[in-house]
Amino acid sequence: MSKSWRWLAATLIACPVLLLLLLIVLASTEVGSRRLINTLGKMTPLEIQYHKGSLLGKLQLSHVRLSQENINLELGDISSELRASCLWSGELCLQHIVVGQLEIHALPADDASTDKPDILHKAAVPALFVFPFKLEIEQLNIANTTAHWPGGSWRQGRTRAQLSISGSQIIINKARVENTYLELHELSPDDLPTNKSTSAGLDTSKHITLPGIDLPLELVVNDLSLQQLHWDIYGDKYQQQALNLTARWVKTQIQISQAALNDLPRAKARLNGSITFIDNWPLTVDAQLEMAQPPLWQGLAQHSRPPAAF
């Protein structure tokens, strides 16, 4: 009997070890990596198109797609290199990942209306999307990013950042984004959402109705630097050299804990507040403006002399 128990214990220990070794062998080859990626695509909402390489080395994917109720996301032309030491702790760590194109299509959140009873509103709110694994990216490099929604778009050039994903949370650290362009335009009558409330303080006299945007994730952005900003707000165009930002976005609300404009003419601005992407995007902002010393006072200070002593 004791020998049988020993054999049973040895079998229970050996099976997981052999399974782990099998996964490692599969992940180190192109054929095995292709099969594992196809299996991952069947078990998760992700659509993954394998190109070449291995999971435990340098990997190239043609695209990764995610389609949810209010958002469609696609990454194209992806190359990455895995740091295998993280696998023992149940995480997926990438030394670097390079993405040729990131496209986001946000659909209008018609059910996100403050005019509905609170109970119905809570019942209509879908749960946050939960990623099936933890992910750490030491160096993220995205060549181009575009985001579209009814009534507007956002485009940006090269993006460099550190990124981590766990559960429903995406954390972006030390991000630098170049050549950003925000455009808001009027919706045609056919594109107007069912929620037509205009309770916000924006001018809606020209039938401007901002669409609801619902992000089914928690996005935390720490130390984001936006460079060469361009704005086209219903035909009015603006430019800004740089903006530093720390913010958190969940569902329809962005909470801005700090925003800094350091290149204003003879001034610096500090902002914090929130934006809610329903009911024409009500905006709440607290601002602090720091004025530089005017040239007149600089000249007086340079030419002033201490009073003569008697």
Side-chain angles (χ1 to χ4, degrees), residues 202-224:
L202 297 176
D203 180 14
T204 58
S205 60
K206 299 180 180 179
H207 305 289
I208 295 173
T209 302
L210 297 174
I213 300 177
D214 191 340
L215 182 71
L217 300 166
E218 179 184 1
L219 178 62
V220 179
V221 179
N222 298 319
D223 192 17
L224 168 63

Side-chain angles (χ1 to χ4, degrees), residues 47-234:
E47 177 187 330
I48 307 174
Q49 181 63 51
Y50 173 87
H51 180 56
K52 66 178 182 179
S54 66
L55 287 168
L56 293 184
K58 295 182 179 181
L59 178 69
Q60 294 186 18
L61 303 175
S62 298
H63 68 257
V64 174
R65 295 192 182 108
L66 171 66
S67 297
Q68 293 292 292
E69 181 179 0
N70 295 321
I71 191 169
N72 295 327
L73 183 150
E74 179 174 350
L75 295 91
D77 191 14
I78 308 163
S79 62
S80 65
E81 185 172 359
L82 181 71
R83 183 153 56 88
S85 59
C86 287
L87 296 176
W88 302 107
S89 59
E91 297 183 11
L92 184 62
C93 298
L94 299 175
Q95 293 184 10
H96 70 267
I97 180 169
V98 178
V99 180
Q101 179 71 31
L102 169 60
E103 294 188 8
I104 303 171
H105 293 268
L107 305 179
D110 292 339
D111 291 334
S113 172
T114 55
D115 295 333
K116 296 183 178 181
D118 187 58
I119 295 178
L120 294 178
H121 177 68
K122 290 181 178 179
V125 175
L128 296 179
F129 174 76
V130 178
F131 287 90
F133 47 80
K134 292 183 179 180
L135 175 64
E136 295 281 345
I137 302 176
E138 296 180 5
Q139 297 179 12
L140 173 64
N141 193 322
I142 304 176
N144 294 285
T145 301
T146 59
H148 300 274
W149 60 88
S153 65
W154 171 274
R155 303 192 302 272
Q156 64 189 46
R158 187 167 301 279
T159 302
R160 297 179 178 86
Q162 296 176 350
L163 183 143
S164 64
I165 296 175
S166 179
S168 299
Q169 187 180 67
I170 300 177
I171 300 177
I172 299 176
N173 295 316
K174 299 180 179 179
R176 180 182 175 88
V177 179
E178 301 174 357
N179 298 318
T180 64
Y181 191 94
L182 172 66
E183 179 184 4
L184 298 178
H185 56 79
E186 296 184 30
L187 290 170
S188 65
D190 295 336
D191 293 332
L192 290 175
T194 57
N195 169 24
K196 296 183 177 64
S197 173
T198 58
S199 60
L202 297 176
D203 180 14
T204 58
S205 60
K206 299 180 180 179
H207 305 289
I208 295 173
T209 302
L210 297 174
I213 300 177
D214 191 340
L215 182 71
L217 300 166
E218 179 184 1
L219 178 62
V220 179
V221 179
N222 298 319
D223 192 17
L224 168 63
S225 176
L226 300 172
Q227 304 293 322
Q228 297 90 43
L229 295 91
H230 304 270
W231 318 78
D232 186 346
I233 311 300
Y234 302 104

